[in-house]
Amino acid sequence: MSVFTIEAGLAILGLALLLVEAFKPDISRRTLGLTAIAGAVLALVLFSFVPHDTASLPGFIQPWHQLDNLAIFYKGFSLVITILVLWLTLECAPYLSRFTVDGKLAEMFSLPLIVCSGMMWMASARDLVTVFVSLELVTVSFYVLVAFARKSSFSLEAGVKYLILGALSTGILVYGIAWTYGATGTMSFDGIAKALANPATSKTAALFGAAMLLCGLGFKVAAAPFHMWVPDVYQGAPTPVTAFLSVGSKAAGFVVLTRALDAFLAQGSVIATEVQALLLVVGSLTVLLGSLPAMFQTSVKRLLAYSSISHAGYLLLALASRESARFDLSSGGIVAFYLATYLPMTVLGFLGLGLMRANGLGEEIKDFTGLAKRNPFIALLMTISFASLAGLPLTAGFLGKLFVFIGLADHGYWGALSCAVIAAAAGFYYYFKTILAMYTTEGTDVPVLTFSTAAKSVAGALALAILILGVYPKPLQGVLTSAPVVSSVSR
Protein backbone atom coordinates (compact mmCIF):
# COMPACT_ATOMS: atom_id res chain seq x y z
CA MET A 1 0.00 0.00 0.00
CA SER A 2 1.16 3.54 -0.79
CA VAL A 3 0.01 7.06 -0.03
CA PHE A 4 -1.49 7.27 -3.51
CA THR A 5 -3.62 4.19 -2.78
CA ILE A 6 -5.06 5.91 0.29
CA GLU A 7 -5.85 9.06 -1.69
CA ALA A 8 -7.54 7.10 -4.47
CA GLY A 9 -9.42 5.04 -1.87
CA LEU A 10 -10.91 8.20 -0.32
CA ALA A 11 -12.20 9.37 -3.70
CA ILE A 12 -13.67 5.92 -4.43
CA LEU A 13 -15.36 5.86 -1.01
CA GLY A 14 -16.90 9.25 -1.72
CA LEU A 15 -18.31 8.04 -5.03
CA ALA A 16 -19.53 4.82 -3.39
CA LEU A 17 -21.49 6.74 -0.75
CA LEU A 18 -23.19 8.75 -3.49
CA LEU A 19 -24.19 5.58 -5.35
CA VAL A 20 -25.39 3.83 -2.19
CA GLU A 21 -27.67 6.74 -1.34
CA ALA A 22 -28.95 6.89 -4.93
CA PHE A 23 -29.90 3.19 -5.07
CA LYS A 24 -30.93 2.89 -1.42
CA PRO A 25 -32.61 6.19 -0.58
CA ASP A 26 -33.92 4.96 2.77
CA ILE A 27 -30.42 4.64 4.25
CA SER A 28 -30.02 6.89 7.29
CA ARG A 29 -27.83 9.96 7.12
CA ARG A 30 -26.14 8.85 10.36
CA THR A 31 -24.99 5.64 8.69
CA LEU A 32 -23.60 7.60 5.75
CA GLY A 33 -21.91 10.10 8.05
CA LEU A 34 -20.33 7.51 10.31
CA THR A 35 -19.13 5.53 7.29
CA ALA A 36 -17.48 8.64 5.82
CA ILE A 37 -15.85 9.51 9.15
CA ALA A 38 -14.66 5.93 9.64
CA GLY A 39 -13.16 5.93 6.15
CA ALA A 40 -11.31 9.21 6.77
CA VAL A 41 -10.06 8.04 10.18
CA LEU A 42 -8.85 4.75 8.66
CA ALA A 43 -7.07 6.72 5.94
CA LEU A 44 -5.33 8.84 8.59
CA VAL A 45 -4.22 5.73 10.50
CA LEU A 46 -2.94 4.03 7.36
CA PHE A 47 -1.24 7.24 6.27
CA SER A 48 0.75 7.18 9.51
CA PHE A 49 2.22 3.75 8.71
CA VAL A 50 2.72 3.62 4.94
CA PRO A 51 6.14 4.57 3.50
CA HIS A 52 6.55 8.30 2.94
CA ASP A 53 8.91 8.18 -0.02
CA THR A 54 8.41 8.59 -3.75
CA ALA A 55 9.80 5.12 -4.48
CA SER A 56 6.76 3.57 -2.77
CA LEU A 57 4.37 5.20 -5.24
CA PRO A 58 3.09 3.38 -8.36
CA GLY A 59 5.44 3.84 -11.29
CA PHE A 60 2.93 5.65 -13.48
CA ILE A 61 2.45 8.42 -10.88
CA GLN A 62 6.04 8.93 -9.73
CA PRO A 63 6.95 11.56 -12.38
CA TRP A 64 4.06 13.77 -11.24
CA HIS A 65 3.97 13.09 -7.51
CA GLN A 66 6.44 13.97 -4.74
CA LEU A 67 6.49 13.07 -1.06
CA ASP A 68 8.71 15.64 0.61
CA ASN A 69 8.19 17.04 4.09
CA LEU A 70 5.86 19.74 2.84
CA ALA A 71 3.62 17.23 1.07
CA ILE A 72 3.47 14.89 4.08
CA PHE A 73 2.45 17.73 6.40
CA TYR A 74 -0.34 18.99 4.15
CA LYS A 75 -1.67 15.50 3.46
CA GLY A 76 -2.05 14.87 7.18
CA PHE A 77 -3.55 18.35 7.57
CA SER A 78 -6.13 17.58 4.85
CA LEU A 79 -7.18 14.34 6.54
CA VAL A 80 -7.60 15.98 9.95
CA ILE A 81 -9.71 18.90 8.70
CA THR A 82 -11.85 16.50 6.61
CA ILE A 83 -12.59 14.35 9.66
CA LEU A 84 -13.57 17.41 11.70
CA VAL A 85 -15.81 18.77 8.93
CA LEU A 86 -17.56 15.42 8.46
CA TRP A 87 -18.19 15.21 12.20
CA LEU A 88 -19.49 18.78 12.30
CA THR A 89 -21.81 17.97 9.39
CA LEU A 90 -23.17 14.96 11.26
CA GLU A 91 -23.65 17.07 14.40
CA CYS A 92 -25.54 19.75 12.43
CA ALA A 93 -27.47 17.27 10.26
CA PRO A 94 -30.93 17.87 11.82
CA TYR A 95 -30.60 21.60 11.14
CA LEU A 96 -29.06 21.23 7.66
CA SER A 97 -31.66 18.74 6.43
CA ARG A 98 -34.38 21.39 6.79
CA PHE A 99 -32.81 23.35 3.94
CA THR A 100 -32.57 20.50 1.42
CA VAL A 101 -35.32 19.50 -0.99
CA ASP A 102 -35.62 15.88 0.17
CA GLY A 103 -33.88 16.03 3.55
CA LYS A 104 -30.93 13.99 2.26
CA LEU A 105 -27.30 14.86 3.03
CA ALA A 106 -25.38 12.26 1.01
CA GLU A 107 -23.37 14.84 -0.91
CA MET A 108 -22.37 16.55 2.35
CA PHE A 109 -20.68 13.32 3.45
CA SER A 110 -19.28 12.12 0.12
CA LEU A 111 -17.93 15.30 -1.50
CA PRO A 112 -15.61 16.21 1.43
CA LEU A 113 -13.84 12.88 0.85
CA ILE A 114 -13.33 13.77 -2.81
CA VAL A 115 -12.15 17.25 -1.83
CA CYS A 116 -9.68 15.65 0.58
CA SER A 117 -8.26 13.49 -2.21
CA GLY A 118 -7.84 16.56 -4.40
CA MET A 119 -6.08 18.49 -1.63
CA MET A 120 -3.73 15.57 -0.95
CA TRP A 121 -2.85 15.26 -4.65
CA MET A 122 -2.31 19.01 -4.82
CA ALA A 123 0.19 18.85 -1.95
CA SER A 124 2.37 16.43 -3.97
CA ALA A 125 2.13 18.16 -7.35
CA ARG A 126 5.42 18.52 -9.22
CA ASP A 127 4.04 20.56 -12.11
CA LEU A 128 1.31 23.03 -13.00
CA VAL A 129 -0.83 20.51 -14.89
CA THR A 130 -1.20 18.32 -11.81
CA VAL A 131 -1.92 21.45 -9.77
CA PHE A 132 -4.68 22.48 -12.17
CA VAL A 133 -6.37 19.07 -12.27
CA SER A 134 -6.26 18.68 -8.47
CA LEU A 135 -7.41 22.26 -7.91
CA GLU A 136 -10.41 21.84 -10.18
CA LEU A 137 -11.39 18.60 -8.44
CA VAL A 138 -11.50 20.58 -5.19
CA THR A 139 -13.17 23.67 -6.64
CA VAL A 140 -15.93 21.87 -8.58
CA SER A 141 -16.83 19.87 -5.45
CA PHE A 142 -17.06 23.11 -3.48
CA TYR A 143 -19.46 24.56 -6.07
CA VAL A 144 -21.94 21.85 -5.06
CA LEU A 145 -21.26 22.08 -1.33
CA VAL A 146 -21.66 25.86 -1.14
CA ALA A 147 -25.07 25.78 -2.85
CA PHE A 148 -26.20 22.60 -1.12
CA ALA A 149 -28.90 24.21 1.07
CA ARG A 150 -31.26 24.69 -1.86
CA LYS A 151 -34.15 26.01 0.25
CA SER A 152 -31.97 28.89 1.40
CA SER A 153 -31.77 31.87 -0.95
CA PHE A 154 -28.48 32.86 0.71
CA SER A 155 -26.95 29.48 -0.13
CA LEU A 156 -28.10 29.62 -3.76
CA GLU A 157 -26.78 33.17 -4.11
CA ALA A 158 -23.47 32.10 -2.58
CA GLY A 159 -23.24 29.14 -4.96
CA VAL A 160 -23.85 31.30 -8.06
CA LYS A 161 -21.30 33.91 -6.98
CA TYR A 162 -18.72 31.25 -6.17
CA LEU A 163 -19.32 29.49 -9.48
CA ILE A 164 -19.02 32.64 -11.62
CA LEU A 165 -15.96 34.06 -9.85
CA GLY A 166 -14.40 30.61 -9.56
CA ALA A 167 -14.71 30.10 -13.32
CA LEU A 168 -13.16 33.52 -13.91
CA SER A 169 -10.24 32.76 -11.60
CA THR A 170 -9.73 29.41 -13.32
CA GLY A 171 -9.48 31.17 -16.67
CA ILE A 172 -6.90 33.59 -15.28
CA LEU A 173 -4.96 30.69 -13.77
CA VAL A 174 -4.89 28.78 -17.06
CA TYR A 175 -3.80 31.94 -18.87
CA GLY A 176 -0.96 32.33 -16.36
CA ILE A 177 0.07 28.71 -16.80
CA ALA A 178 0.15 29.17 -20.58
CA TRP A 179 2.32 32.29 -20.33
CA THR A 180 4.63 30.62 -17.82
CA TYR A 181 5.04 27.66 -20.14
CA GLY A 182 5.69 29.97 -23.08
CA ALA A 183 8.33 31.90 -21.14
CA THR A 184 10.12 28.92 -19.58
CA GLY A 185 9.35 25.99 -21.90
CA THR A 186 8.27 23.76 -19.00
CA MET A 187 5.47 23.28 -16.50
CA SER A 188 7.41 21.53 -13.75
CA PHE A 189 8.42 23.60 -10.74
CA ASP A 190 12.02 22.40 -11.00
CA GLY A 191 12.16 23.33 -14.68
CA ILE A 192 10.61 26.76 -14.08
CA ALA A 193 13.22 27.54 -11.40
CA LYS A 194 16.05 26.56 -13.73
CA ALA A 195 14.62 28.53 -16.66
CA LEU A 196 14.14 31.67 -14.56
CA ALA A 197 17.75 31.46 -13.43
CA ASN A 198 18.80 31.72 -17.08
CA PRO A 199 19.42 35.39 -18.07
CA ALA A 200 18.24 34.57 -21.59
CA THR A 201 14.69 34.00 -20.35
CA SER A 202 12.30 36.80 -21.27
CA LYS A 203 11.74 38.70 -18.04
CA THR A 204 8.60 40.44 -19.30
CA ALA A 205 6.88 37.23 -20.41
CA ALA A 206 7.89 35.36 -17.25
CA LEU A 207 6.74 38.18 -14.99
CA PHE A 208 3.38 38.46 -16.77
CA GLY A 209 2.86 34.70 -16.53
CA ALA A 210 3.77 34.69 -12.84
CA ALA A 211 1.42 37.62 -12.17
CA MET A 212 -1.51 35.89 -13.89
CA LEU A 213 -0.79 32.64 -12.08
CA LEU A 214 -0.63 34.40 -8.72
CA CYS A 215 -3.89 36.22 -9.50
CA GLY A 216 -5.63 32.89 -10.13
CA LEU A 217 -4.27 31.42 -6.92
CA GLY A 218 -5.07 34.68 -5.10
CA PHE A 219 -8.77 33.98 -5.60
CA LYS A 220 -8.39 30.52 -4.06
CA VAL A 221 -6.74 31.87 -0.90
CA ALA A 222 -8.91 35.04 -0.69
CA ALA A 223 -6.08 37.52 -1.26
CA ALA A 224 -6.90 41.16 -2.06
CA PRO A 225 -8.17 42.36 -4.45
CA PHE A 226 -9.71 38.95 -5.23
CA HIS A 227 -11.38 38.56 -1.84
CA MET A 228 -14.78 40.18 -2.36
CA TRP A 229 -16.55 36.83 -2.85
CA VAL A 230 -15.62 35.59 0.62
CA PRO A 231 -18.17 37.35 2.92
CA ASP A 232 -21.23 36.45 0.84
CA VAL A 233 -20.09 32.89 0.10
CA TYR A 234 -19.08 32.17 3.69
CA GLN A 235 -22.35 33.58 5.02
CA GLY A 236 -24.54 31.69 2.56
CA ALA A 237 -22.80 28.30 2.63
CA PRO A 238 -23.73 25.70 5.26
CA THR A 239 -21.59 26.17 8.38
CA PRO A 240 -19.54 22.94 7.94
CA VAL A 241 -18.78 23.96 4.34
CA THR A 242 -17.72 27.42 5.50
CA ALA A 243 -15.31 25.82 7.97
CA PHE A 244 -13.95 23.59 5.20
CA LEU A 245 -13.48 26.57 2.88
CA SER A 246 -11.83 28.65 5.58
CA VAL A 247 -9.27 26.01 6.60
CA GLY A 248 -9.00 23.23 4.02
CA SER A 249 -9.31 25.27 0.83
CA LYS A 250 -6.95 27.90 2.19
CA ALA A 251 -4.33 25.27 3.07
CA ALA A 252 -4.60 23.72 -0.40
CA GLY A 253 -4.10 27.10 -2.03
CA PHE A 254 -1.11 27.95 0.11
CA VAL A 255 0.74 24.70 -0.52
CA VAL A 256 0.53 25.47 -4.25
CA LEU A 257 1.58 29.08 -3.63
CA THR A 258 4.56 27.84 -1.59
CA ARG A 259 5.76 25.59 -4.41
CA ALA A 260 5.17 28.22 -7.09
CA LEU A 261 7.04 30.87 -5.12
CA ASP A 262 9.92 28.48 -4.44
CA ALA A 263 10.29 28.40 -8.22
CA PHE A 264 9.70 32.09 -8.90
CA LEU A 265 12.01 33.22 -6.07
CA ALA A 266 14.74 30.60 -6.56
CA GLN A 267 18.31 31.79 -6.45
CA GLY A 268 19.17 33.77 -9.58
CA SER A 269 15.56 34.16 -10.71
CA VAL A 270 15.14 37.09 -13.11
CA ILE A 271 11.76 37.99 -11.58
CA ALA A 272 12.50 37.40 -7.87
CA THR A 273 12.60 41.07 -6.86
CA GLU A 274 9.33 41.97 -8.57
CA VAL A 275 7.45 38.91 -7.29
CA GLN A 276 8.59 39.50 -3.72
CA ALA A 277 7.52 43.16 -3.89
CA LEU A 278 4.14 42.08 -5.25
CA LEU A 279 3.70 39.67 -2.35
CA LEU A 280 4.45 42.37 0.20
CA VAL A 281 1.96 44.79 -1.35
CA VAL A 282 -0.80 42.18 -1.74
CA GLY A 283 -0.20 40.78 1.75
CA SER A 284 -0.36 44.26 3.31
CA LEU A 285 -3.58 45.11 1.48
CA THR A 286 -5.13 41.77 2.39
CA VAL A 287 -4.59 42.08 6.16
CA LEU A 288 -6.08 45.59 6.12
CA LEU A 289 -9.04 44.83 3.83
CA GLY A 290 -9.82 41.78 5.96
CA SER A 291 -9.52 43.33 9.42
CA LEU A 292 -10.89 46.85 9.00
CA PRO A 293 -14.31 45.89 7.48
CA ALA A 294 -14.66 43.16 10.12
CA MET A 295 -14.93 45.85 12.78
CA PHE A 296 -18.34 46.88 11.41
CA GLN A 297 -19.91 43.42 11.02
CA THR A 298 -22.93 42.34 13.06
CA SER A 299 -22.99 38.75 11.74
CA VAL A 300 -20.46 36.42 13.36
CA LYS A 301 -20.24 34.38 10.17
CA ARG A 302 -19.37 37.43 8.08
CA LEU A 303 -16.97 38.53 10.80
CA LEU A 304 -15.18 35.16 10.53
CA ALA A 305 -15.18 35.55 6.74
CA TYR A 306 -13.33 38.86 6.92
CA SER A 307 -11.10 37.32 9.58
CA SER A 308 -10.22 34.56 7.12
CA ILE A 309 -9.18 37.21 4.58
CA SER A 310 -6.95 38.87 7.16
CA HIS A 311 -5.27 35.58 8.08
CA ALA A 312 -4.60 34.95 4.38
CA GLY A 313 -2.76 38.27 4.39
CA TYR A 314 -0.53 37.19 7.27
CA LEU A 315 0.30 33.99 5.40
CA LEU A 316 1.20 35.95 2.25
CA LEU A 317 3.50 38.18 4.31
CA ALA A 318 5.13 35.04 5.72
CA LEU A 319 5.82 33.81 2.19
CA ALA A 320 7.22 37.22 1.25
CA SER A 321 9.65 37.12 4.19
CA ARG A 322 11.23 33.85 3.02
CA GLU A 323 13.65 32.18 5.47
CA SER A 324 14.10 33.28 9.09
CA ALA A 325 17.27 32.03 10.75
CA ARG A 326 15.80 32.95 14.12
CA PHE A 327 13.28 30.06 14.03
CA ASP A 328 15.14 27.72 11.69
CA LEU A 329 12.03 27.69 9.51
CA SER A 330 11.64 28.39 5.81
CA SER A 331 8.78 30.59 4.66
CA GLY A 332 6.88 27.38 3.87
CA GLY A 333 7.57 26.18 7.39
CA ILE A 334 6.16 29.36 8.94
CA VAL A 335 3.06 29.07 6.74
CA ALA A 336 2.64 25.41 7.76
CA PHE A 337 3.03 26.33 11.45
CA TYR A 338 0.50 29.16 11.10
CA LEU A 339 -2.03 26.88 9.40
CA ALA A 340 -1.54 24.18 12.04
CA THR A 341 -2.44 26.70 14.75
CA TYR A 342 -5.21 28.19 12.61
CA LEU A 343 -7.00 24.85 12.25
CA PRO A 344 -8.18 24.23 15.86
CA MET A 345 -9.17 27.82 16.62
CA THR A 346 -11.13 28.27 13.38
CA VAL A 347 -12.87 24.90 13.53
CA LEU A 348 -13.76 25.55 17.19
CA GLY A 349 -15.30 28.90 16.24
CA PHE A 350 -17.41 27.40 13.46
CA LEU A 351 -18.28 24.43 15.68
CA GLY A 352 -19.75 26.77 18.27
CA LEU A 353 -21.61 28.67 15.56
CA GLY A 354 -22.97 25.46 14.04
CA LEU A 355 -24.13 24.09 17.39
CA MET A 356 -25.91 27.35 18.16
CA ARG A 357 -27.70 27.17 14.80
CA ALA A 358 -28.68 23.59 15.63
CA ASN A 359 -30.25 24.96 18.84
CA GLY A 360 -32.38 27.37 16.84
CA LEU A 361 -30.29 30.51 17.29
CA GLY A 362 -29.05 32.89 14.60
CA GLU A 363 -25.60 34.00 13.49
CA GLU A 364 -25.74 37.62 14.68
CA ILE A 365 -23.52 38.86 17.48
CA LYS A 366 -26.68 39.66 19.47
CA ASP A 367 -27.53 35.94 19.40
CA PHE A 368 -24.37 35.29 21.42
CA THR A 369 -25.63 37.56 24.18
CA GLY A 370 -25.82 35.67 27.45
CA LEU A 371 -24.17 32.52 26.10
CA ALA A 372 -22.06 32.29 29.26
CA LYS A 373 -25.27 31.88 31.27
CA ARG A 374 -26.91 29.55 28.79
CA ASN A 375 -23.93 27.21 28.58
CA PRO A 376 -20.79 28.36 30.47
CA PHE A 377 -18.61 25.56 29.09
CA ILE A 378 -19.28 26.34 25.43
CA ALA A 379 -18.90 30.07 26.13
CA LEU A 380 -15.48 29.42 27.66
CA LEU A 381 -14.37 27.36 24.65
CA MET A 382 -15.64 29.99 22.21
CA THR A 383 -13.73 32.61 24.20
CA ILE A 384 -10.54 30.59 23.80
CA SER A 385 -11.19 30.31 20.05
CA PHE A 386 -11.79 34.03 19.48
CA ALA A 387 -8.94 35.05 21.79
CA SER A 388 -6.57 32.84 19.82
CA LEU A 389 -7.83 34.20 16.50
CA ALA A 390 -7.11 37.68 17.86
CA GLY A 391 -3.57 36.62 18.81
CA LEU A 392 -3.78 36.76 22.61
CA PRO A 393 -0.50 35.62 24.25
CA LEU A 394 -0.37 32.02 25.55
CA THR A 395 -2.65 30.89 22.72
CA ALA A 396 -1.66 29.25 19.43
CA GLY A 397 -2.75 32.27 17.40
CA PHE A 398 -0.25 34.52 19.15
CA LEU A 399 2.75 32.45 18.05
CA GLY A 400 1.61 32.28 14.43
CA LYS A 401 1.39 36.06 14.21
CA LEU A 402 4.62 36.48 16.19
CA PHE A 403 6.56 34.41 13.65
CA VAL A 404 5.21 36.58 10.83
CA PHE A 405 5.94 39.86 12.64
CA ILE A 406 9.50 38.90 13.54
CA GLY A 407 10.16 37.63 10.02
CA LEU A 408 9.06 40.99 8.60
CA ALA A 409 11.16 42.89 11.15
CA ASP A 410 14.25 40.75 10.47
CA HIS A 411 14.07 41.69 6.79
CA GLY A 412 13.27 45.35 7.43
CA TYR A 413 9.83 45.32 5.80
CA TRP A 414 8.54 48.07 8.07
CA GLY A 415 5.63 49.15 5.88
CA ALA A 416 4.20 45.63 5.71
CA LEU A 417 4.85 45.18 9.45
CA SER A 418 2.91 48.38 10.22
CA CYS A 419 -0.07 47.12 8.22
CA ALA A 420 0.07 43.78 10.02
CA VAL A 421 0.16 45.45 13.45
CA ILE A 422 -2.81 47.68 12.57
CA ALA A 423 -4.76 44.62 11.39
CA ALA A 424 -3.89 42.74 14.60
CA ALA A 425 -5.09 45.66 16.73
CA ALA A 426 -8.37 45.76 14.80
CA GLY A 427 -8.69 42.01 15.36
CA PHE A 428 -8.66 42.48 19.12
CA TYR A 429 -11.59 44.88 18.77
CA TYR A 430 -13.94 42.73 16.71
CA TYR A 431 -13.10 39.39 18.34
CA PHE A 432 -13.45 40.72 21.87
CA LYS A 433 -16.67 42.49 20.89
CA THR A 434 -18.15 39.02 20.37
CA ILE A 435 -16.60 37.71 23.59
CA LEU A 436 -18.12 40.64 25.50
CA ALA A 437 -21.57 39.80 24.13
CA MET A 438 -21.26 36.23 25.42
CA TYR A 439 -20.75 37.47 28.98
CA THR A 440 -23.47 40.14 28.87
CA THR A 441 -26.81 39.10 30.37
CA GLU A 442 -28.53 42.34 31.31
CA GLY A 443 -31.97 42.67 29.78
CA THR A 444 -31.80 39.36 27.90
CA ASP A 445 -33.74 36.12 28.06
CA VAL A 446 -31.23 33.33 28.65
CA PRO A 447 -32.74 29.87 28.10
CA VAL A 448 -30.35 27.00 28.74
CA LEU A 449 -28.67 25.50 25.67
CA THR A 450 -27.87 21.80 25.53
CA PHE A 451 -25.08 20.16 23.53
CA SER A 452 -24.18 16.52 23.14
CA THR A 453 -21.33 14.96 25.08
CA ALA A 454 -19.50 14.30 21.81
CA ALA A 455 -19.77 17.98 20.84
CA LYS A 456 -18.39 19.08 24.20
CA SER A 457 -15.58 16.52 23.98
CA VAL A 458 -14.46 17.59 20.49
CA ALA A 459 -14.75 21.28 21.38
CA GLY A 460 -12.74 20.69 24.56
CA ALA A 461 -10.03 18.84 22.64
CA LEU A 462 -9.73 21.68 20.14
CA ALA A 463 -9.51 24.26 22.94
CA LEU A 464 -6.86 22.17 24.69
CA ALA A 465 -4.85 21.98 21.46
CA ILE A 466 -4.99 25.80 21.18
CA LEU A 467 -3.64 26.25 24.70
CA ILE A 468 -0.95 23.55 24.43
CA LEU A 469 0.36 24.94 21.15
CA GLY A 470 0.33 28.40 22.65
CA VAL A 471 2.44 27.37 25.64
CA TYR A 472 4.55 24.53 24.22
CA PRO A 473 4.90 24.72 20.41
CA LYS A 474 8.23 22.87 20.20
CA PRO A 475 6.81 19.49 19.10
CA LEU A 476 5.06 21.09 16.13
CA GLN A 477 8.08 23.23 15.34
CA GLY A 478 10.25 20.12 15.55
CA VAL A 479 8.07 18.32 13.01
CA LEU A 480 8.45 21.23 10.61
CA THR A 481 12.21 21.54 11.08
CA SER A 482 13.07 17.83 11.18
CA ALA A 483 13.50 18.13 7.42
CA PRO A 484 13.45 21.20 5.20
CA VAL A 485 9.86 22.22 4.61
CA VAL A 486 10.48 23.28 1.05
CA SER A 487 9.78 21.88 -2.32
CA SER A 488 12.29 19.99 -4.38
CA VAL A 489 13.35 23.25 -6.02
CA SER A 490 16.92 24.00 -5.07
CA ARG A 491 17.59 27.48 -3.82
Side-chain angles (χ1 to χ4, degrees):
M1 179 178 290
S2 67
V3 172
F4 182 78
T5 306
I6 296 172
E7 296 163 350
L10 280 174
I12 292 171
L13 176 60
L15 291 173
L17 290 178
L18 276 177
L19 292 174
V20 167
E21 196 273 338
F23 289 99
K24 193 177 180 182
D26 58 336
I27 189 170
S28 71
R29 60 178 176 243
R30 186 167 184 83
T31 300
L32 289 172
L34 291 176
T35 302
I37 293 172
V41 171
L42 178 61
L44 181 60
V45 173
L46 293 175
F47 177 76
S48 302
F49 292 100
V50 296
H52 292 161
D53 58 86
T54 307
S56 65
L57 297 173
F60 70 91
I61 201 67
Q62 287 184 14
W64 325 110
H65 224 63
Q66 59 184 324
L67 286 177
D68 58 3
N69 197 39
L70 185 69
I72 297 302
F73 171 83
Y74 278 102
K75 287 176 186 291
F77 186 98
S78 300
L79 287 167
V80 171
I81 184 58
T82 301
I83 292 169
L84 290 171
V85 166
L86 287 170
W87 177 84
L88 179 56
T89 302
L90 188 61
E91 213 39 51
C92 298
Y95 157 72
L96 292 174
S97 61
R98 298 202 300 266
F99 293 92
T100 61
V101 174
D102 51 8
K104 301 295 183 180
L105 297 175
E107 293 89 345
M108 289 290 290
F109 295 120
S110 59
L111 289 178
L113 296 174
I114 297 174
V115 170
C116 183
S117 295
M119 291 192 300
M120 293 178 76
W121 285 329
M122 207 184 307
S124 289
R126 287 182 180 270
D127 63 282
L128 292 173
V129 173
T130 307
V131 165
F132 175 75
V133 173
S134 304
L135 192 61
E136 286 310 292
L137 177 63
V138 171
T139 304
V140 171
S141 299
F142 270 124
Y143 292 155
V144 179
L145 290 172
V146 168
F148 186 77
R150 285 173 286 177
K151 288 185 178 180
S152 168
S153 59
F154 289 109
S155 181
L156 293 176
E157 179 186 354
V160 171
K161 287 182 178 179
Y162 190 60
L163 172 63
I164 294 173
L165 294 176
L168 175 62
S169 71
T170 297
I172 295 174
L173 179 66
V174 172
Y175 194 51
I177 290 174
W179 268 87
T180 301
Y181 176 74
T184 62
T186 179
M187 289 193 182
S188 73
F189 292 117
D190 286 346
I192 291 171
K194 293 176 181 176
L196 292 178
N198 183 354
T201 300
S202 172
K203 181 176 180 177
T204 303
L207 190 58
F208 184 78
M212 290 295 100
L213 199 151
L214 293 177
C215 286
L217 293 176
F219 173 88
K220 308 300 181 183
V221 302
F226 311 103
H227 66 290
M228 296 307 296
W229 61 274
V230 173
D232 290 339
V233 171
Y234 277 33
Q235 185 178 27
T239 300
V241 177
T242 306
F244 209 8
L245 274 171
S246 182
V247 182
S249 179
K250 183 179 269 74
F254 271 101
V255 67
V256 176
L257 265 177
T258 300
R259 295 201 185 280
L261 291 171
D262 280 341
F264 294 151
L265 301 176
Q267 186 174 4
S269 171
V270 296
I271 62 172
T273 302
E274 291 81 359
V275 169
Q276 193 162 17
L278 178 64
L279 277 178
L280 288 169
V281 172
V282 171
S284 300
L285 285 175
T286 304
V287 293
L288 291 177
L289 294 178
S291 288
L292 298 181
M295 298 172 65
F296 305 99
Q297 302 305 311
T298 58
S299 166
V300 175
K301 211 170 184 182
R302 287 185 73 87
L303 186 152
L304 290 173
Y306 279 106
S307 163
S308 177
I309 297 169
S310 180
H311 286 288
Y314 290 119
L315 291 166
L316 288 170
L317 292 176
L319 286 173
S321 299
R322 311 310 293 162
E323 286 74 17
S324 177
R326 188 191 298 265
F327 306 115
D328 194 27
L329 287 174
S330 67
S331 58
I334 294 176
V335 168
F337 183 94
Y338 196 110
L339 286 169
T341 60
Y342 181 71
L343 185 152
M345 56 192 183
T346 304
V347 173
L348 180 56
F350 281 110
L351 170 59
L353 189 61
L355 293 176
M356 289 182 66
R357 291 303 306 271
N359 275 265
L361 297 176
E363 298 171 345
E364 300 293 314
I365 292 178
K366 64 183 180 182
D367 293 309
F368 281 70
T369 303
L371 180 61
K373 193 169 183 179
R374 299 174 183 182
N375 194 306
F377 181 69
I378 293 297
L380 174 62
L381 300 185
M382 290 288 288
T383 299
I384 293 173
S385 169
F386 285 123
S388 183
L389 284 166
L392 190 71
L394 302 182
T395 63
F398 170 75
L399 289 176
K401 286 188 173 69
L402 180 66
F403 282 9
V404 176
F405 290 171
I406 292 180
L408 292 171
D410 284 345
H411 291 82
Y413 299 142
W414 303 114
L417 179 58
S418 299
C419 293
V421 170
I422 292 171
F428 271 91
Y429 171 78
Y430 58 77
Y431 286 123
F432 278 84
K433 179 174 66 173
T434 308
I435 293 174
L436 180 62
M438 289 191 286
Y439 290 90
T440 300
T441 59
E442 184 177 353
T444 60
D445 182 21
V446 287
V448 176
L449 300 180
T450 57
F451 302 107
S452 67
T453 302
K456 292 181 179 179
S457 300
V458 173
L462 292 170
L464 187 61
I466 291 171
L467 296 176
I468 290 176
L469 287 173
V471 177
Y472 187 62
K474 285 188 176 180
L476 175 59
Q477 196 172 349
V479 169
L480 298 174
T481 56
S482 59
V485 188
V486 293
S487 71
S488 58
V489 176
S490 58
R491 295 186 181 281

